[in-house]
Amino acid sequence: MASSVYDELLKMVGGKRVVETGVYKVDEVMIRHWCEAMENANPLYTDEEYAKQEGRYGNIISPPAMVQTWIMPQLWPDGAYEKFYPTRVRTEVELANDPYILVRKKLIDAGYSGTVATNTVMDFFQPLFPGDQVVVEKTFSNISAEKKTSRGLGHFIEFLWTYKNQNGEVLCQQKFGLFMFKAVKDGGSS
Amino acid sequence: MKGTERNRNEFYWDDVEVAEELPILSKKVTPTTIVAGAIATRDFAPLHHDHAWALREGARDIFMNIHTTNGFMQTFLDQYTGYRGELKRMETRLAASCYPGDTMVWTGRVTKKYVEGGQHLIDVECVAKVQAGDHCLGKATIILPVRNG
């Protein structure tokens, strides 16, 4: 079945980009918190002495796979909850400036209220050190026609994110894929 | 299928053999695993901590967010290289969700060994399995130190 939101969003592919600055600078304690959750004992992330003597960079680094954590929205006072589920009424300016919110809001409004991450590809160019300020540029890069999966009917969408540090050096380029769908009951297989 | 283990300080690109298997990472997943991972990655989406919300969205419980899956893949790769590898590229594709009660088991093998742009590299393909089947299919390119390099 043809969906008009699909036609509308197809025209937005490759359009406006949004630049966001991480709420917190790269921080040793947040890195340790991450290492605890991921059971990661790599001393390059947590042991300053080791990093100085053995490490390649003379300093501890943020785990590469953690890069996205540094640009996640804050829970309070500007709710992360609304960022993920952008259903609250937003001003036209806000919507026009952020394709990441706008694309998902249009899909939610069209009934595709379920969201699940599907894939990422990350290319790393520079390590992140404590004190670095991460900035990310996001563009809307792809949308699939409506597809049927075990979760329900929906669209696969993709964003291209470029992470930079305070010196403008590219840290990482990431493709981030989501599936937005009209939920059906999970049979337990996915 | 134990995988190839080496002394941490003796992991060199020179010694890696194509097709060798990585040491398995096996993790019993609890609600705490899911929530700790979600919060450590600053992912406050209710799917990863709110049981009732997850049910409403058609899931059977809260489930692991992609950042935590990526995090455990990083740990799996770091353990293999004895913390001497440097991640150059990482790719993950999610299939079955990872729920509390699952045992997430990462296995993988080296698929390519090569030199490019002066860097000594290996490619790894891996999979994380859960009760329902494949949770994540992963690929990585890792820079390794070279003897007398």
Side-chain angles (χ1 to χ4, degrees):
Chain A
M1 195 175 73
S3 100
S4 61
V5 68
Y6 170 64
D7 294 331
E8 188 185 348
L9 290 180
L10 206 52
K11 289 181 192 135
M12 288 174 55
V13 168
K16 210 168 185 90
R17 63 174 195 162
V18 62
V19 181
E20 286 174 7
T21 301
V23 177
Y24 301 109
K25 289 181 177 176
V26 176
D27 171 77
E28 287 177 51
V29 174
M30 280 172 66
I31 291 172
R32 273 185 227 145
H33 184 191
W34 187 96
C35 289
E36 272 186 56
M38 310 308 164
E39 303 185 356
N40 193 311
N42 190 338
L44 196 51
Y45 308 144
T46 54
D47 184 339
E48 212 176 311
E49 283 308 303
Y50 171 90
K52 275 189 181 137
Q53 286 163 23
E54 310 282 339
R56 289 169 291 273
Y57 302 109
N59 195 350
I60 66 170
I61 64 167
S62 168
M66 190 184 175
V67 64
Q68 196 171 347
T69 300
W70 301 112
I71 54 87
M72 293 297 274
Q74 57 193 148
L75 180 62
W76 174 90
D78 177 28
Y81 175 90
E82 285 87 359
K83 282 256 182 184
F84 278 99
Y85 294 90
T87 46
R88 81 172 163 89
V89 177
R90 288 176 179 274
T91 66
E92 288 307 310
V93 174
E94 249 184 313
L95 286 173
N97 281 330
D98 193 342
Y100 188 61
I101 293 173
L102 180 58
V103 167
R104 288 176 305 141
K105 176 156 171 43
K106 283 186 183 293
L107 284 165
I108 289 169
D109 290 347
Y112 304 97
S113 59
T115 303
V116 67
T118 54
N119 66 299
T120 59
V121 183
M122 291 184 277
D123 286 295
F124 301 103
F125 302 100
Q126 295 274 340
L128 286 75
F129 302 108
D132 278 354
Q133 175 66 65
V134 181
V135 168
V136 67
E137 297 172 6
K138 298 177 177 177
T139 53
F140 174 49
S141 51
N142 207 359
I143 181 167
S144 75
E146 190 179 65
K147 297 206 168 149
K148 191 176 191 314
T149 76
S150 60
R151 292 185 194 279
L153 273 177
H155 295 276
F156 289 91
I157 56 176
E158 187 188 83
F159 295 88
L160 256 184
W161 295 5
T162 303
Y163 297 83
K164 294 179 179 176
N165 64 16
Q166 64 280 3
N167 302 320
E169 296 169 311
V170 176
L171 303 163
C172 172
Q173 280 185 326
Q174 177 182 25
K175 283 182 195 169
F176 189 59
L178 302 169
F179 183 58
M180 296 200 57
F181 58 98
K182 297 172 177 171
V184 292
K185 196 76 188 161
D186 187 354
S189 63
S190 72
Chain B
M1 206 166 67
K2 194 166 181 296
T4 305
E5 298 201 45
R6 297 186 179 82
N7 184 302
R8 176 182 299 184
N9 295 319
E10 291 171 4
F11 198 105
Y12 291 102
W13 177 85
D14 314 59
D15 304 328
V16 174
E17 288 175 25
V18 172
E20 76 178 37
E21 287 178 359
L22 279 63
I24 289 170
L25 187 157
S26 179
K27 170 65 186 164
K28 182 95 182 113
V29 176
T30 66
T32 308
T33 315
I34 308 283
V35 174
I39 305 310
T41 55
R42 293 187 53 72
D43 183 346
F44 299 102
L47 276 170
H48 310 304
H49 64 257
D50 184 336
H51 182 75
W53 186 295
L55 290 185
R56 276 203 304 279
E57 293 223 350
R60 64 173 161 84
D61 201 340
I62 59 167
F63 58 85
M64 188 173 283
N65 68 337
I66 191 167
H67 314 308
T68 300
T69 302
N70 291 349
F72 274 101
M73 181 167 156
Q74 173 93 61
T75 299
F76 172 63
L77 298 173
D78 285 352
Q79 286 180 355
Y80 166 59
T81 66
Y83 312 135
R84 286 159 63 82
E86 191 177 341
L87 206 50
K88 184 179 170 71
R89 183 182 171 87
M90 178 177 194
E91 189 173 339
T92 50
R93 181 163 294 279
L94 296 188
S97 298
C98 178
Y99 289 112
D102 277 325
T103 299
M104 178 175 61
V105 181
W106 287 89
T107 57
R109 54 195 280 276
V110 177
T111 56
K112 195 179 170 189
K113 176 181 170 179
Y114 53 110
V115 181
E116 200 178 273
Q119 292 176 323
H120 291 75
L121 306 169
I122 56 167
D123 286 351
V124 167
E125 283 186 20
C126 55
V127 58
K129 285 195 183 291
V130 292
Q131 224 170 298
D134 293 346
H135 164 56
C136 175
L137 300 172
K139 287 182 187 176
T141 300
I142 304 170
I143 307 166
L144 287 176
V146 60
R147 269 184 218 286
N148 309 313

